[in-house]
Amino acid sequence: MSSPHESHPYPSYATYPWQPPIPPEPPSPPRHRTPDHPPLGHHSDLRILRTAYRWQRRVATLTALGYFTLFLILSAFAPGFMTSTVTDGLPAGLLLALLQLPVTWLAIALYEHTARRYVDPLADRIRKEAEVDAKREAGKRGTRR
């Protein structure tokens, strides 16, 4: 069990009258601030990235789940349509069920497309800015020593 007094060789108060007074702790060095450039991970950049990623997820999810929900609603509330034949021996319900796999592939393709076109370039830009900021901070620390 650790005690709050373990970091000091003596308690924070005088136990005996003949003990020397306790010296005050030295003040900590002041922290430096660098207001000449925006902080790492600027909030507006991250907000834009989150918005793009959120839009990407919504498009892909609504494509796949929207089609599946439409299929379920048609199955429950339009049985006449689902049992009607599209061609000889192929009911509309079976055709719509078979189309779920290509629609899922479409959702994946939309996800990849929006990732390459919108999200990845934003993430790359933020990553590069973070690297530049880190190098700038490392350079400033190196010159101050």
Side-chain angles (χ1 to χ4, degrees), residues 18-100:
W18 57 85
Q19 277 184 313
I22 299 169
E25 290 189 20
S28 60
R31 290 186 169 184
H32 63 282
R33 293 184 56 161
T34 56
D36 55 341
H37 67 288
L40 183 65
H42 198 285
H43 294 292
S44 64
D45 291 340
L46 293 177
R47 190 176 310 120
I48 292 169
L49 180 63
R50 277 194 307 266
T51 302
Y53 183 61
R54 191 176 304 124
W55 179 253
Q56 175 193 21
R57 288 189 321 243
R58 285 179 185 162
V59 167
T61 303
L62 290 177
T63 301
L65 289 180
Y67 184 81
F68 182 69
T69 303
L70 175 68
F71 177 76
L72 290 179
I73 289 171
L74 288 174
S75 296
F77 297 109
F81 172 74
M82 297 297 273
T83 57
S84 65
T85 57
V86 177
T87 62
D88 287 335
L90 182 64
L94 180 60
L95 178 65
L96 292 175
L98 292 174
L99 285 177
Q100 283 184 356

Side-chain angles (χ1 to χ4, degrees), residues 133-143:
D133 285 345
K135 287 179 183 177
R136 185 181 299 146
E137 282 297 316
K140 285 182 181 179
R141 288 183 193 145
T143 58

